[in-house]
Amino acid sequence: MLLSEIAQEIGGRLEGPDLEIERLAAPDRAGPGELVVVREARYLEVALASGAALILDETSPCPDTISRIRVPAVHQAWSRILALFDERETWAGVGVHPSATIEAGAQVDPTASVGAYVLVCRGARVAAGAVIAPYCYVGEGVEVGPRTVLEPRVTLYRNTWLGADCKIGAGSVLGVVGFGFQNGERLPHTGRVVLEDGVELGANCVVQRSVVGETRIGARSKIGDLTDIGHNVQIGKGVVMVGSSAIGGSSVVGDDVLMGGWVVLSDHVRIGKGARLTGGSGISKDVPPGETWAGGIPAQPLRKHWRRLAVLDWLATAERSLRQFLKELQK
């Protein structure tokens, strides 16, 4: 791809020779024929020394010998630049692969793509433009919404419902029986899992179906890899949950909550709208709307967490002073 073509696509201005670009590269590993996006000033020096073409803002200095594309704001152009070099996975062509099995009573739209060794059970429906990658299992009564993508080896247990434009990462399991017991026996789970439009799950996530009713994830929520969501959990719209986290059964997460990595919620807790939970926090109490909680296990409101750390620092200083005082007394 020529630099002039890239400039046209992202609304930038080419300065210097129009070169052929093979790929994007990191500043410290780039070379001729590659393109470096200088997103922060601290990377400019090493990017200039790399011999690669650059994408810069309007004010960053650059010798005339280096080909560069100038844009008003690099961070605003970043997603468009990535899209130009994105080699999307082709899980399956339009239609049903010869090795796939579509049971009687299942409905697959002619524009959907069903890959090798997929099983779509009776009563399931796969909507227009959906992509089912190889080795997926689509259980009885499952609905896969328009343009939703299932990566390889996704398992959808019965009656799971996925809205439009969802993306489910490889190896994820939705609708499995939850971890609910009474008198030492596992309770039947009669409910289902519902993902609203635009939900994304990373690889190897587990979403348990409810005992009754629904386990639901709201529209546009983004869930990272290796995340476990318990039965009867209700997650609001626009929630961001970084990977390797877990939510205990029957908890409620409000709209627009942000959760860092390795966050664990106990069962039956409520996280208010717009709350922030820092990475590594263990939450066993309700978090009010808009608050930021931090501090590991158990997590605390942010001000209380910082105050606790300040007291610990003061105590350490006081201990040193006391030891010095006692030493002087012994002389």
Side-chain angles (χ1 to χ4, degrees):
M1 186 183 304
L2 290 172
L3 279 173
S4 57
E5 296 172 335
I6 297 171
Q8 184 176 3
E9 290 289 337
I10 66 173
R13 184 181 73 258
L14 175 62
E15 296 177 350
D18 190 9
L19 303 177
E20 182 73 27
I21 298 299
E22 296 180 8
R23 64 184 68 86
L24 290 176
D28 58 343
R29 299 185 180 181
E34 297 179 323
L35 180 63
V36 173
V37 182
V38 184
R39 301 175 63 199
E40 298 181 40
R42 57 180 172 157
Y43 298 124
L44 179 59
E45 184 177 353
V46 66
L48 291 173
S50 69
L54 308 180
I55 293 182
L56 303 166
D57 60 28
E58 296 287 0
T59 60
S60 295
C62 184
D64 292 338
T65 55
I66 296 178
S67 296
R68 66 267 184 202
I69 296 173
R70 297 281 188 179
V71 294
V74 175
H75 70 278
Q76 292 180 356
W78 178 234
S79 61
R80 286 179 289 167
I81 297 164
L82 291 174
L84 290 176
F85 291 89
D86 183 25
E87 297 183 11
R88 294 185 177 274
E89 298 279 1
T90 304
W91 303 118
V94 175
V96 178
H97 192 276
S99 65
T101 299
I102 312 298
E103 291 187 348
Q107 299 177 31
V108 177
D109 189 276
T111 64
S113 304
V114 179
Y117 301 104
V118 168
L119 173 58
V120 180
C121 296
R122 64 179 184 232
R125 295 194 295 179
V126 180
V131 178
I132 314 296
Y135 298 101
C136 287
Y137 172 81
V138 180
E140 295 181 16
V142 167
E143 295 202 21
V144 179
R147 300 172 302 281
T148 284
V149 177
L150 309 184
E151 293 186 356
R153 300 187 185 278
V154 167
T155 297
L156 303 181
Y157 280 79
R158 61 177 173 80
N159 297 329
T160 296
W161 188 91
L162 308 183
D165 301 302
C166 294
K167 182 177 180 182
I168 311 301
S172 291
V173 180
L174 282 67
V176 65
V177 173
F179 194 72
F181 292 84
Q182 183 172 310
N183 300 324
E185 296 183 2
R186 187 184 292 272
L187 290 169
H189 285 61
T190 65
R192 64 174 185 165
V193 168
V194 174
L195 271 58
E196 298 178 3
D197 295 349
V199 171
E200 295 190 19
L201 298 183
N204 295 311
C205 293
V206 175
V207 184
Q208 301 174 2
R209 73 172 178 259
S210 55
V211 177
V212 294
E214 297 174 343
T215 300
R216 178 177 287 263
I217 302 178
R220 305 178 307 283
S221 291
K222 312 301 180 187
I223 313 295
D225 300 341
L226 298 167
T227 295
D228 184 30
I229 297 172
H231 55 204
N232 293 86
V233 166
Q234 304 293 305
I235 296 177
K237 295 176 171 58
V239 171
V240 176
M241 186 176 175
V242 180
S244 299
S245 295
I247 301 180
S250 300
S251 291
V252 177
V253 178
D255 295 346
D256 302 317
V257 168
L258 298 182
M259 299 170 57
W262 295 90
V263 168
V264 177
L265 306 188
S266 180
D267 58 293
H268 294 83
V269 300
R270 301 182 69 91
I271 310 300
K273 179 179 180 180
R276 306 291 188 265
L277 310 177
T278 66
S281 296
I283 308 295
S284 58
K285 300 179 181 179
D286 292 353
V287 176
E291 287 197 3
T292 298
W293 281 36
I297 301 174
Q300 302 280 348
L302 189 61
R303 286 190 176 184
K304 187 174 181 180
H305 168 64
W306 291 125
R307 187 161 55 246
R308 181 172 58 182
L309 292 181
V311 170
L312 289 174
D313 285 345
W314 179 84
L315 286 173
T317 302
E319 181 197 26
R320 288 194 295 270
S321 298
L322 180 60
R323 287 181 181 277
Q324 183 64 33
F325 176 72
L326 294 175
K327 188 180 295 185
E328 293 291 334
L329 287 179
Q330 294 172 357
K331 291 181 179 179

